[in-house]
Amino acid sequence: MEVVAHRAGNDPVALRAAEGIADLIELDVHRDRGHRVEVRHAKRLWPTRRLWERWYLLPRDAVSPQLDEVLSAARSDTGLWFDLKGVSTNLTSRLLELAESGQRPIVVSSKSWWLLGRLTGTPNLRTFRSVGNRFELLLLFWLPTRVQTDGIVVHRRLLSPRILERLQHRGPVFTWNVTDHAMLADLSERGIAGVILDDLDLARP
């Protein structure tokens, strides 16, 4: 079972702490105004520059690292999991360049699954379609698409035994929101391919 450090790549300090524990470090990437690629989970409150998370605004002086800053902080062999936010094709172009120029393992996931089609078949890069709610799960099963990803990443609350079995026919299944050892052991017995963890202590022996 592969272990992914959830959002650890959004902070260079957290990234370095997760290296050596997780197989992959996850980071959220956005295309900011212009062509800059920012690493952050927070969204911008249009038309301002303020960042917000769920129901609250972040401080006015909150800043987000640029992708190159995060890459510079990571070891050259550290595997990275990029969760694409938005619908910008500039993001996939930047990741194609990164995959072709480096040796690190790369995974790219997105709810905008049509973006992943241009990455399919790229050496050293895997693509995962992201599913976070029941509507997105229905789209996955019932909306025909020619985009074939390497696997699926789906929220744990959706993983009934029947759903997991159906998903495993499409390739490796990863999940997030795993919060204790019992949950982790259950998923392992059911054949889950990987877990995205907030608490990396769960991955320690």
Side-chain angles (χ1 to χ4, degrees):
M1 180 188 293
E2 290 185 81
V3 173
V4 184
H6 192 208
R7 301 184 188 172
N10 293 357
D11 175 6
V13 175
L15 184 153
R16 288 189 288 268
E19 288 178 322
I21 302 174
D23 300 296
L24 296 157
I25 311 293
E26 189 213 28
L27 52 159
D28 302 296
V29 290
H30 297 251
R31 185 183 71 84
D32 195 19
R33 295 174 184 174
H35 295 286
R36 296 187 307 170
V37 180
E38 289 188 340
V39 179
R40 54 180 166 83
H41 186 264
K43 301 177 179 65
R44 293 220 180 262
L45 182 63
W46 188 88
T48 74
R49 300 287 295 166
R50 290 293 298 274
L51 295 172
W52 64 277
E53 283 272 15
R54 294 185 179 179
W55 58 85
Y56 61 91
L57 290 171
L58 272 61
R60 291 185 179 277
D61 58 352
V63 295
S64 304
Q66 300 297 304
L67 178 59
D68 288 340
E69 180 183 347
V70 174
L71 295 177
S72 297
R75 297 195 312 240
S76 61
D77 61 343
T78 295
L80 298 177
W81 180 305
F82 296 90
D83 189 18
L84 302 187
K85 305 299 185 182
V87 296
S88 172
T89 56
N90 288 332
L91 289 175
T92 54
S93 298
R94 180 68 178 89
L95 296 180
L96 276 171
E97 295 172 3
L98 184 62
E100 291 168 355
S101 63
Q103 299 299 315
R104 70 173 79 246
I106 293 176
V107 175
V108 182
S109 64
S110 181
K111 293 183 178 181
S112 304
W113 72 88
W114 56 90
L115 295 178
L116 302 175
R118 11 182 2 216
L119 301 173
T120 301
T122 304
N124 205 41
L125 186 151
R126 290 179 287 167
T127 56
F128 280 71
R129 181 168 173 174
S130 183
V131 177
N133 56 53
R134 296 188 183 280
F135 176 70
E136 292 165 356
L137 190 63
L138 286 173
L139 286 180
L140 174 68
F141 286 136
W142 300 113
L143 183 65
T145 173
R146 285 183 280 184
V147 176
Q148 300 298 316
T149 60
D150 295 297
I152 308 292
V153 53
V154 59
H155 195 287
R156 181 194 53 79
R157 68 174 180 272
L158 302 173
L159 286 179
S160 68
R162 183 178 65 87
I163 292 297
L164 179 57
E165 183 178 359
R166 292 182 66 185
L167 291 173
Q168 285 172 326
H169 289 299
R170 295 170 175 256
V173 179
F174 280 60
T175 191
W176 75 94
N177 197 37
V178 178
T179 56
D180 58 53
H181 285 97
M183 199 178 293
L184 188 63
D186 175 65
L187 290 167
S188 178
E189 291 175 2
R190 293 164 58 191
I192 204 82
V195 288
I196 302 173
L197 299 176
D198 290 288
D199 182 6
L200 288 180
D201 285 339
L202 295 176
R204 299 179 188 276

